[in-house]
């Protein structure tokens, strides 16, 4: 072993003691910084992943639209079959959707109606699998009923079995012909409760036929919504679809591009949080720097003697840089382990702190979604290691510049 | 006929004082040191003894004059060659023991071998032997803070001699020790140098110690004279 590496290790882990106080505190400082960084990132990843799942569950993975125009006719059916037979596609759904005015008693709401194909029960969203319908069942939906988003129902005070009146924009045509538009009466068959409030507050489900009728679409619809098989890269799939299968009329886009602005805000949030938390690691490295610097001053004579014994300045510099590196490396490692330990036992930890009774109140923490990203961990470690090594640099420079002839002068 | 290890020729050293004027510390020093001999160097405080030692050990550059080791002029050599020279030719003992506090006695002795790049089984057993010779056989795994000043200085002596240097420079090695301990340590140092056939340049204030070396030198007004 090179002597400078040996001395670096020994100064951190002296003979006869497991670890020096300085080493312990420094490693802990770095570990806490890495814990804060990687822990926050993992929780945010968890939230983002959850939001992503919600977006896909309620909006679909891939949507094909004709720029807002109605899709109908023979070509529409051919495309539908083509999509259905694509080996990467699990399900295809024809979807019609549009805003309506809905009145229950005297209270109006303006939800978006989304179609559900009650004939084929073919749906690209996991409405059944994830039990999105409460107080009823999606199978109970027919042409004369509606499943209200739970938020919509609350706003207009509708309960199961109530009959709501629906006015579609197409009825305005009748008005211009001096006819009186008659609302469509639909019975509430259940409530849509996806847990994604954007949807639950604004959407209601009706049968595809009812939607086509309300919007005078004939056999037409507004979009194809696809669910792909597991593991298929949605972005690549959409790109390939646009290039090879679709003509210019109908375009495919993924939920990622559909929600681009929203997702970008979320990503920016994570970056900003990380930058702020990185300050902790920077502070830790500052204190390592000053401690190592003090060590160098304290060891003036020792360093002078090692020069007299034949040590070279760059070796002395390496000795202190390596100490910074070792602290950074071990601190990062400990930080990652600490993160796993804390997040994997988050429910138990919260219960230990607040007791079982109060646990319910902290439900949100104990059920925090967590998603580890190897890249986050590596980045946090790299950041800590680089910073700590840099922290050793200044003391190293000082130590290597030491003049042995002056250091060794008696008093 | 004994062979010459170190020769110093007409060595001069000036220091710049803070007000800009030059102080002449060494004004033409000549000295030869031969294999295995011991020499003491006395002189008033501030006479330039440590400066002389630093220049002889290539830790400082002379203003003029030459330093020769085994006949080779070394004061102009590259830093890495000078470092190599120090690790193989010289051992150092200072007033402050300069032990590494994180290493035990044996590890401190072996530190010299590690720097010189010859740490191996042989040097480990040699280090143990030397520690036994200086009377520390039972204290090899003691840490510096668990030892007395005299014991620490004996560890430092063992460290200085481990690499079989040709010369040991000892700059007031008993300066921090009480009288009796000083005598013990000095006995140890002189014995060991004799047994190992290592030359010794001993800087000391103590005339009793000075008398025990074969040559007695005095640094006075910038020159070394033999007594
Ligand atoms: N770097 C320096 N700059 C200026 N003067 C110095 C320097 N180093 C030593 N001196 C001076 O050189 C003289 C000799 O010092 P030193 O060799 O330490 O004496 P000794 O070891 O004999 O007591 C002293 O007067 C000291 O002030
Ligand atoms: Mg001196």
């Amino acid at each position: 072993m090179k002597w400078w590496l040996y001395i670096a290790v020994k100064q951190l882990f002296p003979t006869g003691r497991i670890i020096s106080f300085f080493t312990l505190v420094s490693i802990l400082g770095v570990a806490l910084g890495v814990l804060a960084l990687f822990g926050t990132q993992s929780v945010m990843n968890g939230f983002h992943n959850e939001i992503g799942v919600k977006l896909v569950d309620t909006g679909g993975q891939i949507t094909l639209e004709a720029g807002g125009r109605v899709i109908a006719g023979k070509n529409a059916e051919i495309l539908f079959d083509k999509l259905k037979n694509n080996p990467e596609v699990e399900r295809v759904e024809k979807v019609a959707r549009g805003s309506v005015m809905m009145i229950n008693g005297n209270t109006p709401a303006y939800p978006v109606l989304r179609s559900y194909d009650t004939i084929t029960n073919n749906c690209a969203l996991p409405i059944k699998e994830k039990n999105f319908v409460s107080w009823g069942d999606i199978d109970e939906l027919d042409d004369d009923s509606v499943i209200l988003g739970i938020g919509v129902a609350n706003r207009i005070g509708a309960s199961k079995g109530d009959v709501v009146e629906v006015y579609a924009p197409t009825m305005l045509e009748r008005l211009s012909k001096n006819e009186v538009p008659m609302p469509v009466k639909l019975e509430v068959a259940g409530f849509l409760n996806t847990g994604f409030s954007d949807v639950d507050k604004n959407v209601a489900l009706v049968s595809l036929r009812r939607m086509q009728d309300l919007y005078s679409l004939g056999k037409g619809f507004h979009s194809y919504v696809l669910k792909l098989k597991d593991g298929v890269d949605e972005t690549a799939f959409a790109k390939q679809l646009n290039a090879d299968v679709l003509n210019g009329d109908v375009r495919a886009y993924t939920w990622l591009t559909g929600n681009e602005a929203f997702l970008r805000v979320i990503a920016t949030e994570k970056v900003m949080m990380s930058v702020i938390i990185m300050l902790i690691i920077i502070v830790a490295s500052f204190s390592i720097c000053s401690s190592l610097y003090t060590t160098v001053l304290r060891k003036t004579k020792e360093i002078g003697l090692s020069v007299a014994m034949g040590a070279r300045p760059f070796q002395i510099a390496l000795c202190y840089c390596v100490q910074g590196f070792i602290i950074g490396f071990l601190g990062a490692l400990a930080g990652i382990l600490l993160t796993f330990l804390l997040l994997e036992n988050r429910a138990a930890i919260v219960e230990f702190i607040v007791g079982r009774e109060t646990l319910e109140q902290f439900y949100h923490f104990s059920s925090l979604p967590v998603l580890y990203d190897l890249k986050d961990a590596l980045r946090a470690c790299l950041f800590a290691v680089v910073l700590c090594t840099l922290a050793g640099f200044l003391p190293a420079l000082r130590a290597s510049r030491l003049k042995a002839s002056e250091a060794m002068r008696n008093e | 006929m004994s062979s010459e290890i170190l020769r110093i020729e007409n060595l001069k050293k000036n220091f710049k004082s803070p007000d800009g004027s030059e102080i002449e510390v060494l004004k033409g020093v000549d000295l030869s040191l031969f294999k295995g001999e011991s020499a003491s160097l006395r002189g008033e405080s501030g006479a330039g003894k440590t400066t002389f030692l630093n220049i002889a050990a290539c830790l400082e550059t002379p203003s003029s004059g030459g330093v020769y080791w085994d006949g080779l002029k070394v004061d102009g050599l590259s830093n890495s060659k000078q470092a190599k020279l120090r690790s193989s030719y010289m051992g150092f003992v200072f007033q402050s023991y300069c032990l590494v506090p994180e290493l035990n006695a044996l590890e401190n002795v072996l530190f010299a071998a590690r720097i010189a790049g010859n740490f191996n089984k042989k040097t480990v057993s040699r280090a143990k032997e030397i520690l036994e010779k200086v009377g520390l056989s039972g204290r090899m795994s003691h840490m510096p803070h668990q030892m007395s000043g005299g014991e620490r200085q004996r560890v430092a002596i063992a460290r200085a001699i481990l690499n079989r240097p040709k010369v040991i420079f000892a700059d007031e090695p008993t300066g921090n020790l009480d009288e009796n301990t000083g005598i013990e340590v000095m006995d140890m140092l002189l014995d060991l140098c004799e047994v190992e056939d290592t030359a010794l340049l001993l800087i000391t204030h103590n005339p009793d110690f000075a008398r025990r070396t074969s040559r007695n030198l005095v640094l006075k007004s910038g020159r070394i004279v033999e007594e």
Side-chain angles (χ1 to χ4, degrees), chain A residues 224-251:
Chain A
Y224 303 92
V225 178
L226 310 187
K227 176 173 179 4
L228 303 182
K229 294 207 166 118
D230 278 349
V232 178
D233 179 347
E234 46 220 3
T235 306
F237 180 86
K239 207 171 162 190
Q240 193 245 328
L241 211 58
N242 282 328
D244 300 346
V245 182
L246 304 176
N247 52 34
D249 232 11
V250 176
R251 304 304 295 168

PDB file of all heavy atoms in Angstrom, chain A residues 224-251:
ATOM      1  N   TYR A 224     -59.416   7.624 -31.115  1.00  0.00           N
ATOM      2  CA  TYR A 224     -59.122   6.259 -30.683  1.00  0.00           C
ATOM      3  C   TYR A 224     -58.239   6.381 -29.451  1.00  0.00           C
ATOM      4  O   TYR A 224     -57.289   7.165 -29.444  1.00  0.00           O
ATOM      5  CB  TYR A 224     -58.310   5.492 -31.730  1.00  0.00           C
ATOM      6  CG  TYR A 224     -58.918   5.400 -33.096  1.00  0.00           C
ATOM      7  CD1 TYR A 224     -58.624   6.351 -34.061  1.00  0.00           C
ATOM      8  CD2 TYR A 224     -59.746   4.329 -33.451  1.00  0.00           C
ATOM      9  CE1 TYR A 224     -59.150   6.254 -35.335  1.00  0.00           C
ATOM     10  CE2 TYR A 224     -60.272   4.230 -34.726  1.00  0.00           C
ATOM     11  CZ  TYR A 224     -59.973   5.193 -35.671  1.00  0.00           C
ATOM     12  OH  TYR A 224     -60.480   5.094 -36.925  1.00  0.00           O
ATOM     13  N   VAL A 225     -58.572   5.636 -28.418  1.00  0.00           N
ATOM     14  CA  VAL A 225     -57.677   5.606 -27.261  1.00  0.00           C
ATOM     15  C   VAL A 225     -57.132   4.183 -27.141  1.00  0.00           C
ATOM     16  O   VAL A 225     -57.887   3.212 -27.227  1.00  0.00           O
ATOM     17  CB  VAL A 225     -58.411   6.019 -25.971  1.00  0.00           C
ATOM     18  CG1 VAL A 225     -57.471   5.939 -24.763  1.00  0.00           C
ATOM     19  CG2 VAL A 225     -58.941   7.437 -26.109  1.00  0.00           C
ATOM     20  N   LEU A 226     -55.792   4.082 -26.974  1.00  0.00           N
ATOM     21  CA  LEU A 226     -55.150   2.766 -26.978  1.00  0.00           C
ATOM     22  C   LEU A 226     -54.539   2.442 -25.620  1.00  0.00           C
ATOM     23  O   LEU A 226     -54.040   3.320 -24.926  1.00  0.00           O
ATOM     24  CB  LEU A 226     -54.004   2.713 -27.997  1.00  0.00           C
ATOM     25  CG  LEU A 226     -54.253   3.191 -29.424  1.00  0.00           C
ATOM     26  CD1 LEU A 226     -53.036   2.875 -30.278  1.00  0.00           C
ATOM     27  CD2 LEU A 226     -55.476   2.517 -29.996  1.00  0.00           C
ATOM     28  N   LYS A 227     -54.610   1.161 -25.306  1.00  0.00           N
ATOM     29  CA  LYS A 227     -53.767   0.660 -24.222  1.00  0.00           C
ATOM     30  C   LYS A 227     -52.776  -0.301 -24.850  1.00  0.00           C
ATOM     31  O   LYS A 227     -53.174  -1.228 -25.563  1.00  0.00           O
ATOM     32  CB  LYS A 227     -54.614  -0.058 -23.170  1.00  0.00           C
ATOM     33  CG  LYS A 227     -53.724  -0.665 -22.078  1.00  0.00           C
ATOM     34  CD  LYS A 227     -54.522  -1.227 -20.943  1.00  0.00           C
ATOM     35  CE  LYS A 227     -53.659  -1.858 -19.857  1.00  0.00           C
ATOM     36  NZ  LYS A 227     -52.222  -1.768 -20.003  1.00  0.00           N
ATOM     37  N   LEU A 228     -51.494  -0.074 -24.603  1.00  0.00           N
ATOM     38  CA  LEU A 228     -50.464  -0.924 -25.198  1.00  0.00           C
ATOM     39  C   LEU A 228     -50.158  -2.086 -24.272  1.00  0.00           C
ATOM     40  O   LEU A 228     -50.452  -2.057 -23.076  1.00  0.00           O
ATOM     41  CB  LEU A 228     -49.187  -0.115 -25.439  1.00  0.00           C
ATOM     42  CG  LEU A 228     -49.356   1.124 -26.318  1.00  0.00           C
ATOM     43  CD1 LEU A 228     -48.009   1.803 -26.527  1.00  0.00           C
ATOM     44  CD2 LEU A 228     -49.971   0.745 -27.671  1.00  0.00           C
ATOM     45  N   LYS A 229     -49.544  -3.104 -24.875  1.00  0.00           N
ATOM     46  CA  LYS A 229     -49.120  -4.236 -24.039  1.00  0.00           C
ATOM     47  C   LYS A 229     -47.995  -3.801 -23.107  1.00  0.00           C
ATOM     48  O   LYS A 229     -47.272  -2.845 -23.396  1.00  0.00           O
ATOM     49  CB  LYS A 229     -48.636  -5.381 -24.935  1.00  0.00           C
ATOM     50  CG  LYS A 229     -49.787  -5.935 -25.760  1.00  0.00           C
ATOM     51  CD  LYS A 229     -49.586  -7.383 -26.133  1.00  0.00           C
ATOM     52  CE  LYS A 229     -50.882  -7.967 -26.648  1.00  0.00           C
ATOM     53  NZ  LYS A 229     -50.816  -8.439 -28.037  1.00  0.00           N
ATOM     54  N   ASP A 230     -47.838  -4.496 -22.008  1.00  0.00           N
ATOM     55  CA  ASP A 230     -46.808  -4.152 -21.031  1.00  0.00           C
ATOM     56  C   ASP A 230     -45.429  -4.145 -21.673  1.00  0.00           C
ATOM     57  O   ASP A 230     -45.095  -5.044 -22.436  1.00  0.00           O
ATOM     58  CB  ASP A 230     -46.807  -5.176 -19.879  1.00  0.00           C
ATOM     59  CG  ASP A 230     -47.883  -4.833 -18.868  1.00  0.00           C
ATOM     60  OD1 ASP A 230     -48.440  -3.716 -18.976  1.00  0.00           O
ATOM     61  OD2 ASP A 230     -48.170  -5.671 -18.001  1.00  0.00           O
ATOM     62  N   GLY A 231     -44.655  -3.141 -21.345  1.00  0.00           N
ATOM     63  CA  GLY A 231     -43.273  -3.101 -21.804  1.00  0.00           C
ATOM     64  C   GLY A 231     -43.076  -2.439 -23.147  1.00  0.00           C
ATOM     65  O   GLY A 231     -41.942  -2.252 -23.574  1.00  0.00           O
ATOM     66  N   VAL A 232     -44.173  -2.087 -23.820  1.00  0.00           N
ATOM     67  CA  VAL A 232     -44.020  -1.420 -25.113  1.00  0.00           C
ATOM     68  C   VAL A 232     -43.693   0.052 -24.856  1.00  0.00           C
ATOM     69  O   VAL A 232     -44.329   0.704 -24.028  1.00  0.00           O
ATOM     70  CB  VAL A 232     -45.306  -1.533 -25.953  1.00  0.00           C
ATOM     71  CG1 VAL A 232     -45.151  -0.784 -27.272  1.00  0.00           C
ATOM     72  CG2 VAL A 232     -45.632  -2.995 -26.204  1.00  0.00           C
ATOM     73  N   ASP A 233     -42.678   0.560 -25.556  1.00  0.00           N
ATOM     74  CA  ASP A 233     -42.285   1.964 -25.409  1.00  0.00           C
ATOM     75  C   ASP A 233     -43.308   2.834 -26.127  1.00  0.00           C
ATOM     76  O   ASP A 233     -43.404   2.842 -27.348  1.00  0.00           O
ATOM     77  CB  ASP A 233     -40.883   2.150 -26.009  1.00  0.00           C
ATOM     78  CG  ASP A 233     -40.422   3.598 -25.908  1.00  0.00           C
ATOM     79  OD1 ASP A 233     -41.259   4.481 -25.616  1.00  0.00           O
ATOM     80  OD2 ASP A 233     -39.216   3.839 -26.107  1.00  0.00           O
ATOM     81  N   GLU A 234     -44.090   3.588 -25.344  1.00  0.00           N
ATOM     82  CA  GLU A 234     -45.215   4.325 -25.910  1.00  0.00           C
ATOM     83  C   GLU A 234     -44.767   5.437 -26.867  1.00  0.00           C
ATOM     84  O   GLU A 234     -45.387   5.658 -27.909  1.00  0.00           O
ATOM     85  CB  GLU A 234     -46.085   4.893 -24.777  1.00  0.00           C
ATOM     86  CG  GLU A 234     -45.290   5.557 -23.692  1.00  0.00           C
ATOM     87  CD  GLU A 234     -45.821   5.276 -22.286  1.00  0.00           C
ATOM     88  OE1 GLU A 234     -46.778   4.513 -22.119  1.00  0.00           O
ATOM     89  OE2 GLU A 234     -45.250   5.839 -21.345  1.00  0.00           O
ATOM     90  N   THR A 235     -43.670   6.110 -26.495  1.00  0.00           N
ATOM     91  CA  THR A 235     -43.199   7.205 -27.350  1.00  0.00           C
ATOM     92  C   THR A 235     -42.763   6.679 -28.709  1.00  0.00           C
ATOM     93  O   THR A 235     -43.134   7.225 -29.759  1.00  0.00           O
ATOM     94  CB  THR A 235     -42.024   7.931 -26.665  1.00  0.00           C
ATOM     95  OG1 THR A 235     -42.439   8.329 -25.365  1.00  0.00           O
ATOM     96  CG2 THR A 235     -41.609   9.154 -27.458  1.00  0.00           C
ATOM     97  N   ALA A 236     -41.995   5.592 -28.681  1.00  0.00           N
ATOM     98  CA  ALA A 236     -41.532   5.000 -29.942  1.00  0.00           C
ATOM     99  C   ALA A 236     -42.725   4.488 -30.750  1.00  0.00           C
ATOM    100  O   ALA A 236     -42.771   4.657 -31.981  1.00  0.00           O
ATOM    101  CB  ALA A 236     -40.562   3.859 -29.648  1.00  0.00           C
ATOM    102  N   PHE A 237     -43.688   3.910 -30.048  1.00  0.00           N
ATOM    103  CA  PHE A 237     -44.872   3.372 -30.729  1.00  0.00           C
ATOM    104  C   PHE A 237     -45.637   4.486 -31.447  1.00  0.00           C
ATOM    105  O   PHE A 237     -46.003   4.361 -32.615  1.00  0.00           O
ATOM    106  CB  PHE A 237     -45.773   2.681 -29.706  1.00  0.00           C
ATOM    107  CG  PHE A 237     -47.023   2.104 -30.308  1.00  0.00           C
ATOM    108  CD1 PHE A 237     -47.019   0.832 -30.867  1.00  0.00           C
ATOM    109  CD2 PHE A 237     -48.198   2.844 -30.337  1.00  0.00           C
ATOM    110  CE1 PHE A 237     -48.166   0.309 -31.428  1.00  0.00           C
ATOM    111  CE2 PHE A 237     -49.351   2.331 -30.909  1.00  0.00           C
ATOM    112  CZ  PHE A 237     -49.333   1.055 -31.452  1.00  0.00           C
ATOM    113  N   ALA A 238     -45.854   5.605 -30.742  1.00  0.00           N
ATOM    114  CA  ALA A 238     -46.591   6.723 -31.328  1.00  0.00           C
ATOM    115  C   ALA A 238     -45.848   7.281 -32.536  1.00  0.00           C
ATOM    116  O   ALA A 238     -46.446   7.593 -33.572  1.00  0.00           O
ATOM    117  CB  ALA A 238     -46.795   7.815 -30.279  1.00  0.00           C
ATOM    118  N   LYS A 239     -44.545   7.367 -32.406  1.00  0.00           N
ATOM    119  CA  LYS A 239     -43.725   7.914 -33.479  1.00  0.00           C
ATOM    120  C   LYS A 239     -43.832   7.032 -34.729  1.00  0.00           C
ATOM    121  O   LYS A 239     -44.021   7.507 -35.849  1.00  0.00           O
ATOM    122  CB  LYS A 239     -42.269   7.963 -33.002  1.00  0.00           C
ATOM    123  CG  LYS A 239     -41.442   9.047 -33.666  1.00  0.00           C
ATOM    124  CD  LYS A 239     -40.104   9.144 -32.959  1.00  0.00           C
ATOM    125  CE  LYS A 239     -39.095   9.879 -33.836  1.00  0.00           C
ATOM    126  NZ  LYS A 239     -37.756   9.789 -33.279  1.00  0.00           N
ATOM    127  N   GLN A 240     -43.741   5.731 -34.474  1.00  0.00           N
ATOM    128  CA  GLN A 240     -43.778   4.777 -35.576  1.00  0.00           C
ATOM    129  C   GLN A 240     -45.153   4.773 -36.233  1.00  0.00           C
ATOM    130  O   GLN A 240     -45.284   4.694 -37.447  1.00  0.00           O
ATOM    131  CB  GLN A 240     -43.426   3.395 -35.012  1.00  0.00           C
ATOM    132  CG  GLN A 240     -43.116   2.355 -36.056  1.00  0.00           C
ATOM    133  CD  GLN A 240     -44.146   1.254 -36.046  1.00  0.00           C
ATOM    134  OE1 GLN A 240     -44.698   0.925 -34.999  1.00  0.00           O
ATOM    135  NE2 GLN A 240     -44.415   0.704 -37.204  1.00  0.00           N
ATOM    136  N   LEU A 241     -46.189   4.903 -35.389  1.00  0.00           N
ATOM    137  CA  LEU A 241     -47.561   4.942 -35.888  1.00  0.00           C
ATOM    138  C   LEU A 241     -47.747   6.142 -36.808  1.00  0.00           C
ATOM    139  O   LEU A 241     -48.303   6.030 -37.907  1.00  0.00           O
ATOM    140  CB  LEU A 241     -48.517   5.043 -34.694  1.00  0.00           C
ATOM    141  CG  LEU A 241     -49.885   4.400 -34.819  1.00  0.00           C
ATOM    142  CD1 LEU A 241     -49.747   2.925 -35.123  1.00  0.00           C
ATOM    143  CD2 LEU A 241     -50.681   4.613 -33.537  1.00  0.00           C
ATOM    144  N   ASN A 242     -47.278   7.287 -36.361  1.00  0.00           N
ATOM    145  CA  ASN A 242     -47.409   8.505 -37.155  1.00  0.00           C
ATOM    146  C   ASN A 242     -46.655   8.400 -38.462  1.00  0.00           C
ATOM    147  O   ASN A 242     -47.083   8.916 -39.495  1.00  0.00           O
ATOM    148  CB  ASN A 242     -46.883   9.718 -36.373  1.00  0.00           C
ATOM    149  CG  ASN A 242     -47.891  10.190 -35.348  1.00  0.00           C
ATOM    150  OD1 ASN A 242     -49.101  10.082 -35.567  1.00  0.00           O
ATOM    151  ND2 ASN A 242     -47.398  10.682 -34.231  1.00  0.00           N
ATOM    152  N   ALA A 243     -45.525   7.723 -38.452  1.00  0.00           N
ATOM    153  CA  ALA A 243     -44.689   7.645 -39.643  1.00  0.00           C
ATOM    154  C   ALA A 243     -45.217   6.617 -40.635  1.00  0.00           C
ATOM    155  O   ALA A 243     -45.256   6.873 -41.840  1.00  0.00           O
ATOM    156  CB  ALA A 243     -43.261   7.301 -39.230  1.00  0.00           C
ATOM    157  N   ASP A 244     -45.652   5.457 -40.150  1.00  0.00           N
ATOM    158  CA  ASP A 244     -45.905   4.329 -41.040  1.00  0.00           C
ATOM    159  C   ASP A 244     -47.380   4.056 -41.321  1.00  0.00           C
ATOM    160  O   ASP A 244     -47.742   3.634 -42.411  1.00  0.00           O
ATOM    161  CB  ASP A 244     -45.284   3.046 -40.457  1.00  0.00           C
ATOM    162  CG  ASP A 244     -43.785   3.197 -40.283  1.00  0.00           C
ATOM    163  OD1 ASP A 244     -43.242   4.164 -40.846  1.00  0.00           O
ATOM    164  OD2 ASP A 244     -43.185   2.362 -39.594  1.00  0.00           O
ATOM    165  N   VAL A 245     -48.240   4.276 -40.310  1.00  0.00           N
ATOM    166  CA  VAL A 245     -49.616   3.806 -40.450  1.00  0.00           C
ATOM    167  C   VAL A 245     -50.583   4.937 -40.778  1.00  0.00           C
ATOM    168  O   VAL A 245     -51.437   4.798 -41.648  1.00  0.00           O
ATOM    169  CB  VAL A 245     -50.068   3.092 -39.156  1.00  0.00           C
ATOM    170  CG1 VAL A 245     -51.482   2.558 -39.317  1.00  0.00           C
ATOM    171  CG2 VAL A 245     -49.096   1.973 -38.810  1.00  0.00           C
ATOM    172  N   LEU A 246     -50.405   6.048 -40.117  1.00  0.00           N
ATOM    173  CA  LEU A 246     -51.396   7.101 -40.235  1.00  0.00           C
ATOM    174  C   LEU A 246     -51.080   8.018 -41.411  1.00  0.00           C
ATOM    175  O   LEU A 246     -49.924   8.290 -41.702  1.00  0.00           O
ATOM    176  CB  LEU A 246     -51.418   7.925 -38.943  1.00  0.00           C
ATOM    177  CG  LEU A 246     -51.665   7.111 -37.669  1.00  0.00           C
ATOM    178  CD1 LEU A 246     -51.577   8.004 -36.455  1.00  0.00           C
ATOM    179  CD2 LEU A 246     -53.015   6.425 -37.732  1.00  0.00           C
ATOM    180  N   ASN A 247     -52.159   8.494 -42.066  1.00  0.00           N
ATOM    181  CA  ASN A 247     -51.930   9.572 -43.012  1.00  0.00           C
ATOM    182  C   ASN A 247     -52.002  10.865 -42.222  1.00  0.00           C
ATOM    183  O   ASN A 247     -52.200  10.858 -41.017  1.00  0.00           O
ATOM    184  CB  ASN A 247     -52.965   9.527 -44.136  1.00  0.00           C
ATOM    185  CG  ASN A 247     -54.365   9.471 -43.567  1.00  0.00           C
ATOM    186  OD1 ASN A 247     -54.623  10.052 -42.517  1.00  0.00           O
ATOM    187  ND2 ASN A 247     -55.257   8.773 -44.240  1.00  0.00           N
ATOM    188  N   GLY A 248     -51.840  11.973 -42.858  1.00  0.00           N
ATOM    189  CA  GLY A 248     -51.752  13.253 -42.145  1.00  0.00           C
ATOM    190  C   GLY A 248     -52.981  13.606 -41.327  1.00  0.00           C
ATOM    191  O   GLY A 248     -52.914  14.437 -40.420  1.00  0.00           O
ATOM    192  N   ASP A 249     -54.102  12.985 -41.629  1.00  0.00           N
ATOM    193  CA  ASP A 249     -55.364  13.365 -41.001  1.00  0.00           C
ATOM    194  C   ASP A 249     -55.402  13.049 -39.507  1.00  0.00           C
ATOM    195  O   ASP A 249     -55.647  13.906 -38.684  1.00  0.00           O
ATOM    196  CB  ASP A 249     -56.506  12.608 -41.704  1.00  0.00           C
ATOM    197  CG  ASP A 249     -57.571  13.591 -42.131  1.00  0.00           C
ATOM    198  OD1 ASP A 249     -57.290  14.812 -42.061  1.00  0.00           O
ATOM    199  OD2 ASP A 249     -58.671  13.143 -42.509  1.00  0.00           O
ATOM    200  N   VAL A 250     -55.160  11.790 -39.207  1.00  0.00           N
ATOM    201  CA  VAL A 250     -55.217  11.336 -37.823  1.00  0.00           C
ATOM    202  C   VAL A 250     -53.799  11.285 -37.262  1.00  0.00           C
ATOM    203  O   VAL A 250     -52.900  10.752 -37.901  1.00  0.00           O
ATOM    204  CB  VAL A 250     -55.862   9.931 -37.741  1.00  0.00           C
ATOM    205  CG1 VAL A 250     -55.842   9.422 -36.310  1.00  0.00           C
ATOM    206  CG2 VAL A 250     -57.263   9.970 -38.295  1.00  0.00           C
ATOM    207  N   ARG A 251     -53.623  11.884 -36.096  1.00  0.00           N
ATOM    208  CA  ARG A 251     -52.292  11.887 -35.487  1.00  0.00           C
ATOM    209  C   ARG A 251     -52.341  11.211 -34.112  1.00  0.00           C
ATOM    210  O   ARG A 251     -53.325  11.335 -33.381  1.00  0.00           O
ATOM    211  CB  ARG A 251     -51.758  13.315 -35.287  1.00  0.00           C
ATOM    212  CG  ARG A 251     -51.709  14.164 -36.521  1.00  0.00           C
ATOM    213  CD  ARG A 251     -50.911  13.559 -37.647  1.00  0.00           C
ATOM    214  NE  ARG A 251     -49.483  13.401 -37.377  1.00  0.00           N
ATOM    215  CZ  ARG A 251     -48.666  12.690 -38.145  1.00  0.00           C
ATOM    216  NH1 ARG A 251     -49.145  12.039 -39.193  1.00  0.00           N
ATOM    217  NH2 ARG A 251     -47.400  12.613 -37.855  1.00  0.00           N
TER     218      ARG A 251
END
